[in-house]
Amino acid sequence: MQRYYFNLTDGYRLYLDSVGVVLVGPAAVRQHALEDARVLLESWMARSALPWRVEVHDSLGTIVCSIALADAAVSEARPLSHSGVESCEWTSQLLECAS
């Protein structure tokens, strides 16, 4: 497991995460970055979050993941039902349906 740092940037300023989080791999890093971005979006509802990104760096300073806050928005809309499909759910940015 490795420590990752979830920094915030608007392309000009960089706000560093000095503590970081120990995670098991790329999927966990991306999920944590999405969750951070969604929390930031909720707290900044009145302001535009378009230029802001969560940039994840490893302990060597290499960017391993970057999530735009605008891309982390979650729609409250529910998909329409389709015959032959029992359930649908959003996973990451994809809609997966099981029959």
Side-chain angles (χ1 to χ4, degrees):
M1 292 202 301
Q2 186 171 351
R3 184 169 300 274
Y4 296 93
Y5 299 89
F6 293 78
N7 304 310
L8 184 62
T9 184
D10 64 355
Y12 300 103
R13 296 166 286 194
L14 180 65
Y15 298 93
L16 296 174
D17 170 8
S18 61
V19 177
V21 178
V22 176
L23 296 168
V24 294
V29 169
R30 180 167 171 71
Q31 183 61 37
H32 195 283
L34 275 170
E35 290 169 6
D36 280 0
R38 287 177 181 144
V39 168
L40 288 167
L41 271 175
E42 288 174 10
S43 66
W44 292 357
M45 282 192 292
R47 294 188 270 176
S48 173
L50 292 178
W52 292 93
R53 306 180 71 74
V54 174
E55 280 187 356
V56 185
H57 297 249
D58 64 15
S59 57
L60 299 175
T62 305
I63 296 176
V64 296
C65 181
S66 182
I67 303 285
L69 267 60
D71 292 341
V74 177
S75 172
E76 294 299 319
R78 299 285 183 243
L80 297 173
S81 296
H82 299 284
S83 60
V85 176
E86 289 180 11
S87 64
C88 295
E89 66 179 48
W90 287 101
T91 58
S92 237
Q93 298 293 346
L94 302 173
L95 179 64
E96 292 183 2
C97 297
S99 53

